[in-house]
Amino acid sequence: MSQAFEFSVSTIRFDEHYQPSENTRITTNFANLARGKRREANLRDTLRMINNRFNALANWDNPTGDRYSVELDIVSVDIDVTGNGQTFPTIEILKTEIVDQRTSERIPGLVGNNFSSYVRDYDFSVLLQEHNKDKQGFSIPNNFGALHGKIFQSFVQSSTFKEHFSKLPVICLSVSETKIYQRTENKHPILGFEYVPNESSLTETYFKQMGLQVRYFMPANSSAPLAFYFFGDLLNDYTNLELIGTISTMETFQKIYRPEIYNANAAAGERFKPSLKHLDHSLTQIEYDREERSQLAVKQGKFTEENFIKPYQTILNQWSANFGL
C-alpha cells in the first residue's frame, strides 16, 4: 500500500469577482471575505492593501509607489485514494504572481502563503478535542498530524506538484499567543529582524510532520513577526520579489483577521508576547466574522471524519505506515 495516491490541481482567480467553490472550506480566510453584502468591496479593499504593502517593500526603482500589482490564484488540491476517480478536497493554498506595470512583465511568485486543510480541521477540532475530553491536563494523541503530514509531503514530492510549480512552497502564518518571541540581531533586507520563540508550539510540531521548518521575521514597518514555514533555505532559495509577494499577501490577511496583533498601533519590541486581547489596535474597513470561523472548523472536521477518515481508514493506515519506505 505504499503506492502514491493521485493528486489533481485546479485554480481559481482571487479577485473582486471571486466566488468560493463548493469544495472550499468555508473557514478559509479568503472565502470568509467573499460573503455578505460587502463581498466585492471586501475583496477589492483586500487586494488594494496587498498592492500597497508590496510597493512599500519593493521601493527601489519605484518612486511613485505603484510599479507592481499582485495577482492571486487559489490552488485547490484533491486526492484520489483508491484510483477510481472519486476525490476528496485535501489542500488549499495561494499562489502569487507579480505584475510589473512599468515593463508589463509577469513574474511568478511563491505557492503556499495561506494554508487550508480539511484534515487539519479534523485533527485539531475533532481528534484533539475528543482525546482531551473530560481529562485533567492537556496532551497530544500518538502520531498526531502524521497522516496529514505525509499526505502533504506526498503531494509536494508528486509529479503533479512539479508540473505546476517550479519552487517548493512557503507558508506564512501568525505567531502563537502562548509563546514569547525575542528579537535577534539577524536582519534580512526583506524579511526584516528575526525573532526566536521561547519554546516550540503545537503548530510548529504539526508542520514539522509536513517536513517544514520555521523561522520568524518581522519586516520593516510591521507590527509583529510572521511565521514562515519552508523547506530548504528560506533566505537564499527565493528572490526578494517572491518574498515580498508572500509578506504583502499574508500580512494583509493577518491585519484583517488578527488586528490586535498585526494592526497594533505600536510595533513589537525586543521581547514580544502576542495577544488577541490587546486593545491598542486599529480595525480595517473589511468585514470578517472570526467567531463564525472557529465554529465552522468543528463542522468541517466532522465532515472530514465522515467522508474521508472513516471510509478510507484501513487504506490510509496502511499507506501511512509504508510512506517513505
Side-chain angles (χ1 to χ4, degrees), residues 115-175:
F115 180 79
S116 172
S117 164
Y118 272 109
V119 178
R120 186 173 67 167
D121 274 348
Y122 165 75
D123 282 340
F124 279 91
S125 300
V126 177
L127 182 62
L128 188 62
Q129 299 301 318
E130 290 180 353
H131 176 77
N132 285 285
K133 187 177 181 180
D134 300 326
K135 290 183 179 178
Q136 292 185 345
F138 177 83
S139 64
I140 300 171
N142 291 332
N143 295 319
F144 181 69
L147 172 64
H148 178 270
K150 291 173 182 177
I151 289 174
F152 180 79
Q153 290 187 62
S154 179
F155 169 61
V156 171
Q157 295 167 12
S158 70
S159 59
T160 302
F161 182 91
K162 294 169 185 175
E163 288 169 7
H164 287 85
F165 312 109
S166 60
K167 288 191 175 183
L168 292 171
V170 175
I171 296 166
C172 185
L173 304 179
S174 169
V175 288

Side-chain angles (χ1 to χ4, degrees), residues 3 17 25 73 82 92 102 104 110 117 158 164 167 172 177-178 199 205 207 215 221 232 248 259 261 303 309:
Q3 181 177 353
H17 307 297
R25 289 168 64 250
D73 280 330
T82 60
E92 251 181 356
R102 191 175 75 182
S104 298
L110 297 182
S117 164
S158 70
H164 287 85
K167 288 191 175 183
C172 185
E177 278 191 277
T178 63
E199 58 183 348
T205 303
F207 275 71
R215 294 178 75 171
N221 299 316
S248 59
I261 298 173
F303 168 82
I309 300 297

Side-chain angles (χ1 to χ4, degrees), residues 181-185 195 268-272:
Y181 299 84
Q182 184 70 41
R183 191 171 69 198
T184 72
E185 295 301 315
Y195 280 72
E270 291 187 12
R271 186 176 182 274
F272 178 58

